[in-house]
Amino acid sequence: MEDQEDCTTELFLTADGVVEFGETDGPVWTSAVGSWSVAPGTDDFVMPIVRTYKTGQSNTDMGEFSFDIGRIYRGEMTNVGDSVGITGAMEEMPDEVFGSNDEEPKKVGFFNMIDGTDIREDRRPDARMGVQRSW
């Protein structure tokens, strides 16, 4: 949930620390990259993600353009029955060009994740594709 809006996105956390993206019922991105890690000996989860969006129209003064939105997801892993659950907060990713005047990153929302490997998003009628995956 971010800025009073919420969506569900299917993520695959690979063993080598890469985040692969599946379907979403939120804004559709043109590309997305992410990684994840858990500090050794802790349940502290960190997942930086950058999504690229495209908007505008080629026949206007502004034209078509793309922009990136970066978020860092920080949370704690817990067991939920036989599955792993992760809850935490989303932070703005520091701007590489302009930096940030804030001492602490601005929290912009929260997230909940649960291992739903057996419950695929493509079974939901309201889900739509974000970025095509090759399987």
Side-chain angles (χ1 to χ4, degrees):
M1 178 170 189
E2 180 173 350
D3 296 334
Q4 298 179 4
E5 300 294 329
D6 64 354
C7 66
T8 301
T9 301
E10 187 176 41
L11 302 176
F12 298 90
L13 306 181
T14 66
D16 61 353
V18 173
V19 177
E20 294 181 359
F21 299 82
E23 296 178 347
T24 186
D25 63 1
V28 179
W29 56 86
T30 57
S31 67
V33 295
S35 62
W36 70 277
S37 64
V38 176
T42 73
D43 292 325
D44 298 336
F45 176 85
V46 178
M47 181 175 65
I49 289 179
V50 176
R51 293 183 180 99
T52 301
Y53 297 91
K54 185 176 182 180
T55 191
Q57 297 177 355
S58 60
N59 59 349
T60 64
D61 290 345
M62 186 173 276
E64 289 183 325
F65 61 95
S66 62
F67 60 95
D68 295 335
I69 301 289
R71 298 289 182 253
I72 300 173
Y73 297 72
R74 296 183 194 275
E76 185 175 339
M77 297 176 60
T78 58
N79 287 328
V80 179
D82 292 334
S83 298
V84 173
I86 306 168
T87 59
M90 294 182 299
E91 303 170 356
E92 287 184 335
M93 192 170 283
D95 189 305
E96 293 178 9
V97 176
F98 298 107
S100 174
N101 292 331
D102 298 333
E103 289 184 24
E104 287 194 33
K106 180 178 177 186
K107 290 186 175 27
V108 294
F110 65 91
F111 71 98
N112 292 302
M113 296 172 58
I114 191 162
D115 178 8
T117 305
D118 296 332
I119 306 169
R120 294 288 315 272
E121 285 295 317
D122 58 3
R123 296 183 186 148
R124 290 185 39 193
D126 61 336
R128 61 182 187 267
M129 287 303 295
V131 175
Q132 288 285 347
R133 288 188 49 174
S134 57
W135 295 353

PDB file of all heavy atoms in Angstrom, residues 103-129:
ATOM      1  N   GLU A 103      17.447  13.200   6.752  1.00  0.00           N
ATOM      2  CA  GLU A 103      18.412  12.323   7.412  1.00  0.00           C
ATOM      3  C   GLU A 103      17.964  10.871   7.334  1.00  0.00           C
ATOM      4  O   GLU A 103      18.773   9.982   7.189  1.00  0.00           O
ATOM      5  CB  GLU A 103      18.604  12.758   8.859  1.00  0.00           C
ATOM      6  CG  GLU A 103      19.353  14.070   8.985  1.00  0.00           C
ATOM      7  CD  GLU A 103      19.619  14.427  10.432  1.00  0.00           C
ATOM      8  OE1 GLU A 103      19.646  13.510  11.276  1.00  0.00           O
ATOM      9  OE2 GLU A 103      19.800  15.611  10.710  1.00  0.00           O
ATOM     10  N   GLU A 104      16.671  10.636   7.455  1.00  0.00           N
ATOM     11  CA  GLU A 104      16.136   9.287   7.341  1.00  0.00           C
ATOM     12  C   GLU A 104      15.299   9.205   6.077  1.00  0.00           C
ATOM     13  O   GLU A 104      14.628  10.164   5.710  1.00  0.00           O
ATOM     14  CB  GLU A 104      15.259   8.955   8.552  1.00  0.00           C
ATOM     15  CG  GLU A 104      16.058   8.714   9.816  1.00  0.00           C
ATOM     16  CD  GLU A 104      15.199   8.068  10.887  1.00  0.00           C
ATOM     17  OE1 GLU A 104      14.301   7.274  10.553  1.00  0.00           O
ATOM     18  OE2 GLU A 104      15.446   8.363  12.053  1.00  0.00           O
ATOM     19  N   PRO A 105      15.323   8.047   5.401  1.00  0.00           N
ATOM     20  CA  PRO A 105      14.504   7.897   4.192  1.00  0.00           C
ATOM     21  C   PRO A 105      13.024   8.079   4.515  1.00  0.00           C
ATOM     22  O   PRO A 105      12.564   7.689   5.599  1.00  0.00           O
ATOM     23  CB  PRO A 105      14.786   6.466   3.742  1.00  0.00           C
ATOM     24  CG  PRO A 105      16.039   6.069   4.437  1.00  0.00           C
ATOM     25  CD  PRO A 105      16.103   6.865   5.693  1.00  0.00           C
ATOM     26  N   LYS A 106      12.300   8.660   3.592  1.00  0.00           N
ATOM     27  CA  LYS A 106      10.873   8.892   3.777  1.00  0.00           C
ATOM     28  C   LYS A 106      10.105   7.589   3.545  1.00  0.00           C
ATOM     29  O   LYS A 106      10.238   6.957   2.509  1.00  0.00           O
ATOM     30  CB  LYS A 106      10.385   9.946   2.791  1.00  0.00           C
ATOM     31  CG  LYS A 106       8.924  10.254   2.915  1.00  0.00           C
ATOM     32  CD  LYS A 106       8.510  11.338   1.943  1.00  0.00           C
ATOM     33  CE  LYS A 106       7.029  11.594   2.035  1.00  0.00           C
ATOM     34  NZ  LYS A 106       6.596  12.534   1.011  1.00  0.00           N
ATOM     35  N   LYS A 107       9.314   7.193   4.543  1.00  0.00           N
ATOM     36  CA  LYS A 107       8.473   6.022   4.400  1.00  0.00           C
ATOM     37  C   LYS A 107       7.231   6.421   3.606  1.00  0.00           C
ATOM     38  O   LYS A 107       6.597   7.425   3.903  1.00  0.00           O
ATOM     39  CB  LYS A 107       8.104   5.461   5.765  1.00  0.00           C
ATOM     40  CG  LYS A 107       9.297   4.830   6.475  1.00  0.00           C
ATOM     41  CD  LYS A 107       8.896   4.145   7.745  1.00  0.00           C
ATOM     42  CE  LYS A 107       9.983   3.407   8.450  1.00  0.00           C
ATOM     43  NZ  LYS A 107      11.332   3.795   8.309  1.00  0.00           N
ATOM     44  N   VAL A 108       6.911   5.617   2.577  1.00  0.00           N
ATOM     45  CA  VAL A 108       5.800   5.967   1.697  1.00  0.00           C
ATOM     46  C   VAL A 108       4.667   4.946   1.724  1.00  0.00           C
ATOM     47  O   VAL A 108       3.664   5.126   1.050  1.00  0.00           O
ATOM     48  CB  VAL A 108       6.286   6.166   0.240  1.00  0.00           C
ATOM     49  CG1 VAL A 108       7.191   7.373   0.142  1.00  0.00           C
ATOM     50  CG2 VAL A 108       6.982   4.925  -0.288  1.00  0.00           C
ATOM     51  N   GLY A 109       4.832   3.887   2.482  1.00  0.00           N
ATOM     52  CA  GLY A 109       3.778   2.887   2.554  1.00  0.00           C
ATOM     53  C   GLY A 109       4.251   1.659   3.308  1.00  0.00           C
ATOM     54  O   GLY A 109       5.279   1.672   3.969  1.00  0.00           O
ATOM     55  N   PHE A 110       3.469   0.598   3.203  1.00  0.00           N
ATOM     56  CA  PHE A 110       3.830  -0.646   3.857  1.00  0.00           C
ATOM     57  C   PHE A 110       3.573  -1.799   2.904  1.00  0.00           C
ATOM     58  O   PHE A 110       2.917  -1.641   1.880  1.00  0.00           O
ATOM     59  CB  PHE A 110       3.074  -0.827   5.175  1.00  0.00           C
ATOM     60  CG  PHE A 110       1.593  -0.969   5.010  1.00  0.00           C
ATOM     61  CD1 PHE A 110       1.022  -2.226   4.855  1.00  0.00           C
ATOM     62  CD2 PHE A 110       0.766   0.136   5.020  1.00  0.00           C
ATOM     63  CE1 PHE A 110      -0.341  -2.364   4.695  1.00  0.00           C
ATOM     64  CE2 PHE A 110      -0.610   0.014   4.876  1.00  0.00           C
ATOM     65  CZ  PHE A 110      -1.163  -1.254   4.710  1.00  0.00           C
ATOM     66  N   PHE A 111       4.104  -2.967   3.242  1.00  0.00           N
ATOM     67  CA  PHE A 111       3.909  -4.127   2.389  1.00  0.00           C
ATOM     68  C   PHE A 111       3.756  -5.385   3.224  1.00  0.00           C
ATOM     69  O   PHE A 111       4.194  -5.447   4.377  1.00  0.00           O
ATOM     70  CB  PHE A 111       5.066  -4.294   1.392  1.00  0.00           C
ATOM     71  CG  PHE A 111       6.357  -4.745   2.028  1.00  0.00           C
ATOM     72  CD1 PHE A 111       6.714  -6.080   2.004  1.00  0.00           C
ATOM     73  CD2 PHE A 111       7.208  -3.846   2.643  1.00  0.00           C
ATOM     74  CE1 PHE A 111       7.908  -6.507   2.577  1.00  0.00           C
ATOM     75  CE2 PHE A 111       8.402  -4.256   3.215  1.00  0.00           C
ATOM     76  CZ  PHE A 111       8.748  -5.598   3.190  1.00  0.00           C
ATOM     77  N   ASN A 112       3.121  -6.369   2.634  1.00  0.00           N
ATOM     78  CA  ASN A 112       2.974  -7.705   3.197  1.00  0.00           C
ATOM     79  C   ASN A 112       3.278  -8.693   2.085  1.00  0.00           C
ATOM     80  O   ASN A 112       2.781  -8.548   0.969  1.00  0.00           O
ATOM     81  CB  ASN A 112       1.543  -7.957   3.681  1.00  0.00           C
ATOM     82  CG  ASN A 112       1.193  -7.120   4.869  1.00  0.00           C
ATOM     83  OD1 ASN A 112       1.850  -7.197   5.885  1.00  0.00           O
ATOM     84  ND2 ASN A 112       0.157  -6.317   4.738  1.00  0.00           N
ATOM     85  N   MET A 113       4.090  -9.683   2.397  1.00  0.00           N
ATOM     86  CA  MET A 113       4.382 -10.743   1.436  1.00  0.00           C
ATOM     87  C   MET A 113       4.177 -12.079   2.129  1.00  0.00           C
ATOM     88  O   MET A 113       4.460 -12.217   3.312  1.00  0.00           O
ATOM     89  CB  MET A 113       5.842 -10.654   0.960  1.00  0.00           C
ATOM     90  CG  MET A 113       6.156  -9.404   0.193  1.00  0.00           C
ATOM     91  SD  MET A 113       7.921  -9.212  -0.172  1.00  0.00           S
ATOM     92  CE  MET A 113       8.301 -10.691  -1.088  1.00  0.00           C
ATOM     93  N   ILE A 114       3.679 -13.037   1.384  1.00  0.00           N
ATOM     94  CA  ILE A 114       3.561 -14.392   1.906  1.00  0.00           C
ATOM     95  C   ILE A 114       3.870 -15.355   0.769  1.00  0.00           C
ATOM     96  O   ILE A 114       3.568 -15.076  -0.392  1.00  0.00           O
ATOM     97  CB  ILE A 114       2.170 -14.667   2.514  1.00  0.00           C
ATOM     98  CG1 ILE A 114       2.180 -15.982   3.268  1.00  0.00           C
ATOM     99  CG2 ILE A 114       1.085 -14.612   1.470  1.00  0.00           C
ATOM    100  CD1 ILE A 114       1.042 -16.157   4.240  1.00  0.00           C
ATOM    101  N   ASP A 115       4.513 -16.446   1.129  1.00  0.00           N
ATOM    102  CA  ASP A 115       4.838 -17.465   0.142  1.00  0.00           C
ATOM    103  C   ASP A 115       3.537 -18.039  -0.393  1.00  0.00           C
ATOM    104  O   ASP A 115       2.833 -18.762   0.295  1.00  0.00           O
ATOM    105  CB  ASP A 115       5.697 -18.559   0.785  1.00  0.00           C
ATOM    106  CG  ASP A 115       6.041 -19.685  -0.176  1.00  0.00           C
ATOM    107  OD1 ASP A 115       5.743 -19.558  -1.383  1.00  0.00           O
ATOM    108  OD2 ASP A 115       6.601 -20.683   0.276  1.00  0.00           O
ATOM    109  N   GLY A 116       3.230 -17.683  -1.607  1.00  0.00           N
ATOM    110  CA  GLY A 116       2.004 -18.152  -2.248  1.00  0.00           C
ATOM    111  C   GLY A 116       2.299 -18.914  -3.513  1.00  0.00           C
ATOM    112  O   GLY A 116       1.571 -18.804  -4.491  1.00  0.00           O
ATOM    113  N   THR A 117       3.359 -19.688  -3.498  1.00  0.00           N
ATOM    114  CA  THR A 117       3.787 -20.405  -4.690  1.00  0.00           C
ATOM    115  C   THR A 117       2.651 -21.222  -5.292  1.00  0.00           C
ATOM    116  O   THR A 117       2.532 -21.321  -6.506  1.00  0.00           O
ATOM    117  CB  THR A 117       4.985 -21.322  -4.366  1.00  0.00           C
ATOM    118  OG1 THR A 117       6.008 -20.512  -3.778  1.00  0.00           O
ATOM    119  CG2 THR A 117       5.530 -21.976  -5.614  1.00  0.00           C
ATOM    120  N   ASP A 118       1.804 -21.772  -4.450  1.00  0.00           N
ATOM    121  CA  ASP A 118       0.704 -22.592  -4.948  1.00  0.00           C
ATOM    122  C   ASP A 118      -0.512 -21.770  -5.363  1.00  0.00           C
ATOM    123  O   ASP A 118      -1.468 -22.301  -5.907  1.00  0.00           O
ATOM    124  CB  ASP A 118       0.277 -23.606  -3.896  1.00  0.00           C
ATOM    125  CG  ASP A 118       1.382 -24.595  -3.584  1.00  0.00           C
ATOM    126  OD1 ASP A 118       2.213 -24.844  -4.480  1.00  0.00           O
ATOM    127  OD2 ASP A 118       1.427 -25.094  -2.444  1.00  0.00           O
ATOM    128  N   ILE A 119      -0.504 -20.467  -5.077  1.00  0.00           N
ATOM    129  CA  ILE A 119      -1.640 -19.602  -5.415  1.00  0.00           C
ATOM    130  C   ILE A 119      -1.156 -18.589  -6.435  1.00  0.00           C
ATOM    131  O   ILE A 119      -0.685 -17.515  -6.080  1.00  0.00           O
ATOM    132  CB  ILE A 119      -2.192 -18.891  -4.166  1.00  0.00           C
ATOM    133  CG1 ILE A 119      -2.517 -19.902  -3.087  1.00  0.00           C
ATOM    134  CG2 ILE A 119      -3.414 -18.058  -4.518  1.00  0.00           C
ATOM    135  CD1 ILE A 119      -2.819 -19.277  -1.739  1.00  0.00           C
ATOM    136  N   ARG A 120      -1.228 -18.900  -7.699  1.00  0.00           N
ATOM    137  CA  ARG A 120      -0.695 -18.061  -8.766  1.00  0.00           C
ATOM    138  C   ARG A 120      -1.629 -16.894  -9.067  1.00  0.00           C
ATOM    139  O   ARG A 120      -2.847 -17.023  -9.085  1.00  0.00           O
ATOM    140  CB  ARG A 120      -0.504 -18.892 -10.032  1.00  0.00           C
ATOM    141  CG  ARG A 120       0.553 -19.968  -9.901  1.00  0.00           C
ATOM    142  CD  ARG A 120       1.943 -19.376  -9.879  1.00  0.00           C
ATOM    143  NE  ARG A 120       2.110 -18.382 -10.895  1.00  0.00           N
ATOM    144  CZ  ARG A 120       2.495 -18.624 -12.139  1.00  0.00           C
ATOM    145  NH1 ARG A 120       2.792 -19.830 -12.517  1.00  0.00           N
ATOM    146  NH2 ARG A 120       2.589 -17.640 -13.007  1.00  0.00           N
ATOM    147  N   GLU A 121      -1.058 -15.726  -9.316  1.00  0.00           N
ATOM    148  CA  GLU A 121      -1.840 -14.541  -9.646  1.00  0.00           C
ATOM    149  C   GLU A 121      -2.634 -14.704 -10.946  1.00  0.00           C
ATOM    150  O   GLU A 121      -3.661 -14.096 -11.112  1.00  0.00           O
ATOM    151  CB  GLU A 121      -0.913 -13.324  -9.789  1.00  0.00           C
ATOM    152  CG  GLU A 121      -0.421 -12.795  -8.474  1.00  0.00           C
ATOM    153  CD  GLU A 121      -1.544 -12.250  -7.620  1.00  0.00           C
ATOM    154  OE1 GLU A 121      -2.434 -11.554  -8.130  1.00  0.00           O
ATOM    155  OE2 GLU A 121      -1.539 -12.538  -6.425  1.00  0.00           O
ATOM    156  N   ASP A 122      -2.143 -15.548 -11.881  1.00  0.00           N
ATOM    157  CA  ASP A 122      -2.862 -15.660 -13.144  1.00  0.00           C
ATOM    158  C   ASP A 122      -4.209 -16.359 -12.979  1.00  0.00           C
ATOM    159  O   ASP A 122      -4.988 -16.418 -13.911  1.00  0.00           O
ATOM    160  CB  ASP A 122      -2.015 -16.352 -14.220  1.00  0.00           C
ATOM    161  CG  ASP A 122      -1.553 -17.741 -13.824  1.00  0.00           C
ATOM    162  OD1 ASP A 122      -1.923 -18.209 -12.743  1.00  0.00           O
ATOM    163  OD2 ASP A 122      -0.810 -18.342 -14.610  1.00  0.00           O
ATOM    164  N   ARG A 123      -4.497 -16.823 -11.783  1.00  0.00           N
ATOM    165  CA  ARG A 123      -5.814 -17.391 -11.502  1.00  0.00           C
ATOM    166  C   ARG A 123      -6.796 -16.324 -11.038  1.00  0.00           C
ATOM    167  O   ARG A 123      -7.969 -16.594 -10.875  1.00  0.00           O
ATOM    168  CB  ARG A 123      -5.690 -18.480 -10.445  1.00  0.00           C
ATOM    169  CG  ARG A 123      -4.860 -19.645 -10.944  1.00  0.00           C
ATOM    170  CD  ARG A 123      -4.804 -20.735  -9.926  1.00  0.00           C
ATOM    171  NE  ARG A 123      -3.895 -21.758 -10.402  1.00  0.00           N
ATOM    172  CZ  ARG A 123      -3.142 -22.502  -9.628  1.00  0.00           C
ATOM    173  NH1 ARG A 123      -3.190 -22.369  -8.324  1.00  0.00           N
ATOM    174  NH2 ARG A 123      -2.349 -23.406 -10.143  1.00  0.00           N
ATOM    175  N   ARG A 124      -6.289 -15.094 -10.809  1.00  0.00           N
ATOM    176  CA  ARG A 124      -7.156 -14.003 -10.359  1.00  0.00           C
ATOM    177  C   ARG A 124      -7.713 -13.268 -11.564  1.00  0.00           C
ATOM    178  O   ARG A 124      -6.976 -12.852 -12.442  1.00  0.00           O
ATOM    179  CB  ARG A 124      -6.370 -13.019  -9.499  1.00  0.00           C
ATOM    180  CG  ARG A 124      -5.990 -13.583  -8.151  1.00  0.00           C
ATOM    181  CD  ARG A 124      -5.330 -12.571  -7.291  1.00  0.00           C
ATOM    182  NE  ARG A 124      -5.974 -11.282  -7.451  1.00  0.00           N
ATOM    183  CZ  ARG A 124      -5.449 -10.154  -6.997  1.00  0.00           C
ATOM    184  NH1 ARG A 124      -4.323 -10.156  -6.372  1.00  0.00           N
ATOM    185  NH2 ARG A 124      -6.074  -9.020  -7.180  1.00  0.00           N
ATOM    186  N   PRO A 125      -9.016 -13.036 -11.635  1.00  0.00           N
ATOM    187  CA  PRO A 125      -9.601 -12.360 -12.801  1.00  0.00           C
ATOM    188  C   PRO A 125      -9.214 -10.886 -12.910  1.00  0.00           C
ATOM    189  O   PRO A 125      -9.257 -10.325 -13.999  1.00  0.00           O
ATOM    190  CB  PRO A 125     -11.116 -12.511 -12.581  1.00  0.00           C
ATOM    191  CG  PRO A 125     -11.271 -12.739 -11.115  1.00  0.00           C
ATOM    192  CD  PRO A 125     -10.015 -13.443 -10.655  1.00  0.00           C
ATOM    193  N   ASP A 126      -8.818 -10.238 -11.805  1.00  0.00           N
ATOM    194  CA  ASP A 126      -8.489  -8.812 -11.868  1.00  0.00           C
ATOM    195  C   ASP A 126      -7.006  -8.553 -12.111  1.00  0.00           C
ATOM    196  O   ASP A 126      -6.585  -7.411 -12.214  1.00  0.00           O
ATOM    197  CB  ASP A 126      -8.924  -8.098 -10.586  1.00  0.00           C
ATOM    198  CG  ASP A 126      -8.224  -8.654  -9.348  1.00  0.00           C
ATOM    199  OD1 ASP A 126      -7.787  -9.820  -9.380  1.00  0.00           O
ATOM    200  OD2 ASP A 126      -8.126  -7.920  -8.362  1.00  0.00           O
ATOM    201  N   ALA A 127      -6.181  -9.598 -12.216  1.00  0.00           N
ATOM    202  CA  ALA A 127      -4.747  -9.407 -12.434  1.00  0.00           C
ATOM    203  C   ALA A 127      -4.469  -9.199 -13.919  1.00  0.00           C
ATOM    204  O   ALA A 127      -5.139  -9.748 -14.774  1.00  0.00           O
ATOM    205  CB  ALA A 127      -3.970 -10.616 -11.922  1.00  0.00           C
ATOM    206  N   ARG A 128      -3.470  -8.375 -14.213  1.00  0.00           N
ATOM    207  CA  ARG A 128      -3.053  -8.187 -15.592  1.00  0.00           C
ATOM    208  C   ARG A 128      -1.539  -8.212 -15.643  1.00  0.00           C
ATOM    209  O   ARG A 128      -0.869  -7.982 -14.648  1.00  0.00           O
ATOM    210  CB  ARG A 128      -3.597  -6.884 -16.169  1.00  0.00           C
ATOM    211  CG  ARG A 128      -3.132  -5.640 -15.459  1.00  0.00           C
ATOM    212  CD  ARG A 128      -3.794  -4.427 -16.101  1.00  0.00           C
ATOM    213  NE  ARG A 128      -3.250  -3.225 -15.544  1.00  0.00           N
ATOM    214  CZ  ARG A 128      -3.767  -2.574 -14.516  1.00  0.00           C
ATOM    215  NH1 ARG A 128      -4.854  -3.020 -13.949  1.00  0.00           N
ATOM    216  NH2 ARG A 128      -3.205  -1.477 -14.068  1.00  0.00           N
ATOM    217  N   MET A 129      -0.997  -8.440 -16.791  1.00  0.00           N
ATOM    218  CA  MET A 129       0.441  -8.606 -16.932  1.00  0.00           C
ATOM    219  C   MET A 129       1.173  -7.300 -16.704  1.00  0.00           C
ATOM    220  O   MET A 129       0.747  -6.241 -17.159  1.00  0.00           O
ATOM    221  CB  MET A 129       0.798  -9.132 -18.323  1.00  0.00           C
ATOM    222  CG  MET A 129       0.434 -10.583 -18.523  1.00  0.00           C
ATOM    223  SD  MET A 129       1.182 -11.681 -17.316  1.00  0.00           S
ATOM    224  CE  MET A 129       2.892 -11.505 -17.697  1.00  0.00           C
TER     225      MET A 129
END
